[in-house]
Amino acid sequence: MRLSAASAFFLACLALSGCTSSLGPDSLVAGAPSREMTNSVTRPSAPVPATTVPSADVAETPASAAPRQEELAWAGPVPQPQAFMPQAGVVAAPMPSERPVETVAPAVLAPAAPEADEAPRTRSRIYNHRFRDVKPINFGSSSPRKLAVHGVDVSRWQGDIDWQKLRTQGANFVYIKATDGGDHLDPMFRKNWRDAKQAGMKRGAYHFFYWCRTAGEQADWFIRNVPREAGALPPVIDVEWNGESSCKRRVSPEKVREKMQVFMDKLERHYGQRPIIYTAPDFYRDNLKGAFLNYPFWLRSVAAHPSKVYPGRRWVFWQYSGSGISHGVDGRIDLNVFHGSEDDWHDWVARAG
């Protein structure tokens, strides 16, 4: 069909206008919203206005900062905006130094470990008996050497002790002389108390009871000088007749038990531990036979087994020698043993402490 001159002129103008337009394919893509939208972004109802940045400036913008719609319109879906992207999906982001799953979860799960597994980690090592005795006694089949946990008791008369060496010789526990009566403190108590702990020994303190002072005064004096510490062995009341003491008085068995009860009650209230009664054969016979059945006893018996000297009496500690010798101590030292196995010892310490 032949066109008129006016029609031809009009078509030529339209062609020339399309060739010189600044809206090329790139600009058209940039100005139109993409239909590749995520579910979390609402598609705008009105057309997105075209950018006002000149094309020359866009060409000079670093690739990392340039709009990415051009690439995505041809190569694939538009990614989510940074504000909506999960942090774990950012490949270039460094791994956090602390991950909640790895730090919080073990801390919560740790207490769930069986309690039986924790006990061995807190148990102190038991050293074998290596003491010697200046006056050894043959105890026959009831020898204290057959028992597992040995220890010592000390006072100022043992002087300066090498506690680490003493422990390796078999002193797994120690009772340390603290006080006499209502006004005497053993001059080595504080040093022995501190050094024994540093050596890792289980230790407790004992009080030598005077029959010439009130029980309340003596309890107050002991409490004033002996720390209340977690893990310490129960306090001990040492009751015996001592001809070398400045107090020569011997009170009646009823008065003995009355004074002891006052003293022990006060200590038990303060330390939260039932005191142990240390005694010797003659004092026990005169005053304690059949008494204090609910209290633990520490019995001196250097010539025979306690079952022969204190028939029917249950005991926790047996002092079987007053003439022991050990590396770490100059001179003689009292030797003791716990009535039970290693497991019995650890169980008893856990309950007593």
Side-chain angles (χ1 to χ4, degrees), residues 218-230:
Q218 297 188 66
D220 290 341
W221 180 244
F222 183 87
I223 290 169
R224 175 179 173 182
N225 288 283
V226 178
R228 180 172 56 189
E229 293 185 9

Side-chain angles (χ1 to χ4, degrees), residues 219-264:
D220 290 341
W221 180 244
F222 183 87
I223 290 169
R224 175 179 173 182
N225 288 283
V226 178
R228 180 172 56 189
E229 293 185 9
L233 299 177
V236 167
I237 175 175
D238 179 344
V239 286
E240 53 186 301
W241 301 132
N242 185 354
E244 298 179 2
S245 171
S246 60
C247 176
K248 308 297 183 182
R249 183 181 178 188
R250 293 197 176 191
V251 298
S252 68
E254 293 76 20
K255 195 65 175 178
V256 163
R257 293 190 288 269
E258 177 187 329
K259 291 168 75 71
M260 288 177 61
Q261 192 69 69
V262 171
F263 180 89
M264 294 188 295

